[in-house]
Coordinates of all heavy atoms in Angstrom, one line a residue:
M176 N 91.7 -105.4 -46.6 CA 93.0 -104.8 -47.0 C 93.8 -104.6 -45.7 O 93.4 -104.1 -44.7 CB 92.7 -103.4 -47.6 CG 93.9 -102.5 -47.7 SD 95.1 -103.1 -48.9 CE 94.3 -102.8 -50.5
V177 N 95.0 -105.2 -45.8 CA 96.1 -105.0 -44.7 C 97.1 -104.1 -45.3 O 97.7 -104.5 -46.3 CB 96.6 -106.3 -44.2 CG1 97.6 -106.1 -43.1 CG2 95.4 -107.2 -43.7
I178 N 97.4 -102.9 -44.6 CA 98.6 -102.2 -45.1 C 99.6 -102.1 -44.0 O 99.4 -101.6 -42.9 CB 98.1 -100.7 -45.4 CG1 97.0 -100.8 -46.4 CG2 99.2 -99.9 -45.9 CD1 96.4 -99.4 -46.8
E179 N 100.7 -102.7 -44.3 CA 101.8 -102.8 -43.2 C 102.6 -101.5 -43.2 O 102.9 -100.9 -44.1 CB 102.7 -104.0 -43.7 CG 103.5 -104.6 -42.6 CD 104.4 -105.8 -43.0 OE1 103.9 -106.5 -43.9 OE2 105.2 -106.2 -42.3
Q180 N 102.9 -101.2 -41.9 CA 103.7 -100.0 -41.6 C 103.0 -98.8 -42.4 O 103.7 -98.0 -43.0 CB 105.1 -100.1 -42.1 CG 105.9 -101.1 -41.2 CD 107.4 -101.0 -41.3 OE1 108.0 -100.0 -41.8 NE2 108.0 -102.1 -41.1
A181 N 101.7 -98.7 -42.1 CA 100.9 -97.6 -42.8 C 101.4 -96.2 -42.5 O 101.2 -95.3 -43.3 CB 99.4 -97.7 -42.3
E182 N 102.1 -96.0 -41.5 CA 102.7 -94.6 -41.1 C 103.6 -94.1 -42.2 O 104.0 -93.0 -42.2 CB 103.2 -94.5 -39.8 CG 104.6 -95.3 -39.6 CD 104.4 -96.7 -39.2 OE1 103.3 -97.4 -39.4 OE2 105.5 -97.4 -38.9
R183 N 104.2 -95.1 -43.0 CA 105.2 -94.6 -44.0 C 104.5 -94.1 -45.2 O 105.2 -93.6 -46.1 CB 106.1 -95.8 -44.4 CG 107.0 -96.3 -43.3 CD 107.9 -97.4 -43.7 NE 108.8 -97.9 -42.7 CZ 110.0 -97.4 -42.5 NH1 110.4 -96.5 -43.4 NH2 110.8 -97.9 -41.5
F184 N 103.2 -94.3 -45.4 CA 102.6 -93.9 -46.7 C 101.9 -92.5 -46.4 O 101.5 -92.1 -45.3 CB 101.5 -94.8 -47.0 CG 101.9 -96.2 -47.3 CD1 102.0 -97.1 -46.3 CD2 102.3 -96.5 -48.6 CE1 102.4 -98.5 -46.6 CE2 102.7 -97.7 -48.9 CZ 102.8 -98.8 -48.0
G185 N 101.8 -91.7 -47.6 CA 101.0 -90.5 -47.4 C 99.5 -90.7 -47.5 O 99.1 -91.8 -47.8
L186 N 98.8 -89.7 -47.1 CA 97.3 -89.8 -47.0 C 96.7 -90.3 -48.3 O 95.9 -91.2 -48.4 CB 96.7 -88.6 -46.6 CG 96.4 -88.4 -45.0 CD1 95.9 -87.0 -44.8 CD2 95.4 -89.4 -44.5
A187 N 97.1 -89.6 -49.4 CA 96.5 -89.9 -50.7 C 96.7 -91.3 -51.1 O 95.8 -92.0 -51.6 CB 97.2 -89.0 -51.7
Q188 N 97.9 -91.9 -50.8 CA 98.2 -93.2 -51.2 C 97.5 -94.2 -50.3 O 97.0 -95.1 -50.9 CB 99.7 -93.4 -50.9 CG 100.3 -94.4 -51.9 CD 101.8 -94.4 -51.9 OE1 102.4 -94.1 -50.9 NE2 102.4 -94.8 -52.9
L189 N 97.3 -94.0 -48.9 CA 96.5 -94.9 -48.1 C 95.1 -94.8 -48.7 O 94.5 -95.9 -48.6 CB 96.6 -94.3 -46.7 CG 97.9 -94.5 -45.9 CD1 97.9 -93.8 -44.5 CD2 98.2 -96.0 -45.7
H190 N 94.6 -93.7 -49.0 CA 93.1 -93.7 -49.5 C 93.0 -94.4 -50.8 O 92.1 -95.1 -50.9 CB 92.9 -92.2 -49.7 CG 91.4 -91.9 -50.2 ND1 90.3 -92.4 -49.5 CD2 90.9 -91.4 -51.4 CE1 89.3 -92.0 -50.1 NE2 89.6 -91.5 -51.2
Q191 N 94.0 -94.3 -51.6 CA 93.9 -95.1 -52.9 C 94.0 -96.6 -52.6 O 93.2 -97.4 -53.1 CB 95.2 -94.8 -53.8 CG 95.0 -93.5 -54.5 CD 93.8 -93.5 -55.4 OE1 93.5 -94.5 -56.1 NE2 93.1 -92.4 -55.6
L192 N 94.9 -97.0 -51.8 CA 94.9 -98.4 -51.4 C 93.6 -99.0 -50.8 O 93.2 -100.0 -51.0 CB 96.2 -98.7 -50.5 CG 97.6 -98.4 -51.2 CD1 98.6 -98.4 -50.1 CD2 97.9 -99.6 -52.1
R193 N 93.1 -98.2 -49.8 CA 91.9 -98.5 -49.1 C 90.8 -98.7 -50.2 O 90.0 -99.6 -50.0 CB 91.6 -97.5 -48.1 CG 90.1 -97.8 -47.5 CD 89.9 -97.0 -46.3 NE 89.8 -95.6 -46.6 CZ 89.7 -94.6 -45.8 NH1 89.6 -94.8 -44.4 NH2 89.7 -93.3 -46.1
G194 N 90.9 -97.9 -51.3 CA 89.8 -97.9 -52.3 C 89.8 -99.2 -53.1 O 88.9 -99.4 -53.9
R195 N 90.8 -100.1 -53.0 CA 90.8 -101.4 -53.7 C 89.7 -102.3 -53.0 O 89.4 -103.3 -53.7 CB 92.2 -102.1 -53.5 CG 93.4 -101.4 -54.1 CD 93.1 -100.9 -55.5 NE 92.8 -99.5 -55.6 CZ 91.9 -98.9 -56.4 NH1 91.2 -99.6 -57.3 NH2 91.8 -97.6 -56.3
V196 N 89.3 -102.1 -51.7 CA 88.2 -102.9 -51.2 C 86.9 -102.1 -51.2 O 86.9 -100.9 -51.5 CB 88.6 -103.4 -49.7 CG1 89.7 -104.4 -49.9 CG2 88.8 -102.3 -48.8
G197 N 85.8 -102.7 -50.8 CA 84.6 -101.9 -50.7 C 83.9 -101.7 -52.0 O 83.2 -100.9 -52.4
R198 N 84.3 -102.6 -53.0 CA 83.8 -102.6 -54.4 C 82.6 -103.5 -54.7 O 82.0 -103.5 -55.7 CB 84.9 -102.9 -55.4 CG 85.9 -101.7 -55.3 CD 87.1 -101.9 -56.1 NE 87.8 -100.7 -56.2 CZ 87.7 -99.8 -57.2 NH1 87.1 -100.2 -58.3 NH2 88.3 -98.7 -57.2
G199 N 82.3 -104.3 -53.7 CA 81.1 -105.2 -53.7 C 80.0 -104.9 -52.8 O 80.0 -103.9 -52.3
S200 N 79.0 -105.8 -52.6 CA 78.0 -105.5 -51.7 C 78.4 -105.8 -50.2 O 77.6 -105.6 -49.3 CB 76.8 -106.3 -52.1 OG 77.1 -107.6 -52.3
E201 N 79.5 -106.6 -50.1 CA 79.8 -107.1 -48.7 C 80.5 -106.0 -48.0 O 81.2 -105.2 -48.5 CB 80.8 -108.3 -48.8 CG 80.2 -109.6 -49.4 CD 79.0 -110.2 -48.6 OE1 79.2 -110.3 -47.4 OE2 78.0 -110.3 -49.2
K202 N 80.5 -106.1 -46.6 CA 81.2 -105.1 -45.7 C 82.6 -105.4 -46.0 O 83.1 -106.5 -45.9 CB 80.7 -105.5 -44.3 CG 81.4 -104.5 -43.2 CD 80.5 -103.2 -43.1 CE 81.1 -102.4 -41.9 NZ 81.0 -101.0 -42.2
S203 N 83.4 -104.2 -46.0 CA 84.9 -104.3 -46.2 C 85.6 -103.8 -45.0 O 85.1 -102.9 -44.4 CB 85.3 -103.6 -47.5 OG 84.9 -104.3 -48.6
V204 N 86.8 -104.3 -44.7 CA 87.6 -103.9 -43.6 C 89.0 -103.5 -44.1 O 89.6 -104.2 -45.0 CB 87.7 -104.9 -42.5 CG1 88.7 -104.5 -41.4 CG2 86.4 -105.3 -42.0
C205 N 89.6 -102.3 -43.6 CA 90.9 -101.9 -43.9 C 91.7 -101.9 -42.6 O 91.3 -101.1 -41.7 CB 90.9 -100.6 -44.7 SG 92.6 -99.9 -45.0
L206 N 92.8 -102.7 -42.5 CA 93.6 -102.7 -41.3 C 94.9 -101.9 -41.5 O 95.6 -102.3 -42.5 CB 93.9 -104.0 -40.8 CG 92.7 -105.0 -40.5 CD1 93.2 -106.4 -40.1 CD2 91.9 -104.4 -39.3
L207 N 95.2 -100.9 -40.8 CA 96.3 -100.0 -41.0 C 97.3 -100.5 -39.8 O 97.2 -100.2 -38.6 CB 96.1 -98.6 -40.9 CG 95.1 -98.0 -41.8 CD1 94.7 -96.5 -41.5 CD2 95.5 -98.2 -43.2
L208 N 98.3 -101.3 -40.2 CA 99.3 -101.8 -39.2 C 100.3 -100.7 -39.0 O 101.0 -100.3 -40.0 CB 100.0 -103.1 -39.7 CG 99.2 -104.4 -39.6 CD1 100.1 -105.5 -40.1 CD2 98.8 -104.7 -38.3
R209 N 100.5 -100.3 -37.8 CA 101.5 -99.2 -37.5 C 102.6 -99.7 -36.7 O 102.5 -100.6 -35.8 CB 100.8 -98.0 -36.8 CG 100.2 -98.4 -35.5 CD 99.9 -97.2 -34.6 NE 99.3 -97.6 -33.3 CZ 100.0 -98.0 -32.2 NH1 101.4 -98.0 -32.3 NH2 99.5 -98.3 -31.1
G210 N 103.8 -99.0 -36.8 CA 105.0 -99.3 -36.0 C 104.9 -98.7 -34.7 O 103.9 -98.1 -34.3
G211 N 105.9 -98.8 -33.9 CA 105.9 -98.3 -32.5 C 106.0 -96.9 -32.3 O 105.0 -96.2 -31.8
A212 N 107.1 -96.3 -32.7 CA 107.3 -94.8 -32.5 C 106.7 -94.0 -33.8 O 107.3 -94.2 -34.8 CB 108.7 -94.5 -32.4
L213 N 105.6 -93.3 -33.5 CA 104.9 -92.6 -34.5 C 105.3 -91.1 -34.4 O 105.2 -90.5 -33.2 CB 103.5 -92.8 -34.5 CG 102.8 -94.1 -34.8 CD1 101.3 -94.1 -34.9 CD2 103.5 -94.7 -36.2
S214 N 105.6 -90.4 -35.4 CA 105.6 -89.0 -35.4 C 104.4 -88.3 -35.2 O 103.3 -89.0 -35.5 CB 106.3 -88.4 -36.7 OG 105.4 -88.7 -37.7
E215 N 104.2 -87.1 -34.9 CA 102.9 -86.4 -34.7 C 102.1 -86.4 -36.1 O 100.9 -86.7 -36.1 CB 103.2 -84.9 -34.3 CG 102.7 -84.6 -32.9 CD 101.7 -85.4 -32.2 OE1 100.6 -85.3 -32.5 OE2 102.2 -86.2 -31.3
T216 N 102.8 -86.2 -37.2 CA 102.2 -86.1 -38.5 C 101.6 -87.5 -38.8 O 100.4 -87.7 -39.3 CB 103.2 -85.8 -39.6 OG1 103.8 -84.5 -39.2 CG2 102.6 -85.7 -41.0
A217 N 102.4 -88.6 -38.5 CA 101.9 -90.0 -38.8 C 100.6 -90.3 -38.0 O 99.7 -90.8 -38.5 CB 103.0 -91.0 -38.4
K218 N 100.6 -89.8 -36.7 CA 99.4 -90.0 -35.8 C 98.2 -89.3 -36.4 O 97.2 -89.9 -36.5 CB 99.7 -89.5 -34.4 CG 100.6 -90.3 -33.5 CD 100.7 -89.7 -32.2 CE 101.8 -90.4 -31.4 NZ 102.3 -89.7 -30.3
Q219 N 98.4 -88.0 -36.9 CA 97.3 -87.3 -37.5 C 96.8 -87.9 -38.8 O 95.6 -88.0 -39.0 CB 97.7 -85.8 -37.8 CG 97.8 -85.0 -36.6 CD 98.4 -83.7 -36.8 OE1 99.6 -83.5 -36.9 NE2 97.5 -82.7 -37.2
R220 N 97.7 -88.5 -39.5 CA 97.3 -89.1 -40.8 C 96.4 -90.3 -40.5 O 95.5 -90.5 -41.2 CB 98.6 -89.7 -41.6 CG 99.1 -88.7 -42.6 CD 100.1 -89.4 -43.4 NE 101.0 -88.3 -44.0 CZ 102.3 -88.5 -44.0 NH1 103.0 -89.5 -43.6 NH2 103.1 -87.5 -44.6

């Protein structure tokens, strides 16, 4: 799962999107692509 500009999403939404993978027996990866200038809240998320 690749989520572009992940800092624009809320935590609940990121968690839901990540939940689309990891549904089989294989190892799953979620890549959160972030922009340059992040707010404190975005960093914590």
Side-chain angles (χ1 to χ4, degrees):
M176 165 67 73
V177 180
I178 304 175
E179 200 172 339
Q180 290 190 30
E182 71 275 11
R183 290 181 180 271
F184 297 91
L186 266 178
Q188 212 169 22
L189 286 173
H190 181 60
Q191 282 298 322
L192 290 167
R193 174 170 63 183
R195 297 312 99 216
V196 296
R198 292 174 164 259
S200 51
E201 297 296 311
K202 180 85 175 148
S203 289
V204 176
C205 175
L206 300 179
L207 304 173
L208 283 181
R209 61 163 180 81
L213 293 186
S214 68
E215 253 336 287
T216 304
K218 281 179 190 164
Q219 283 174 276
R220 264 192 205 135

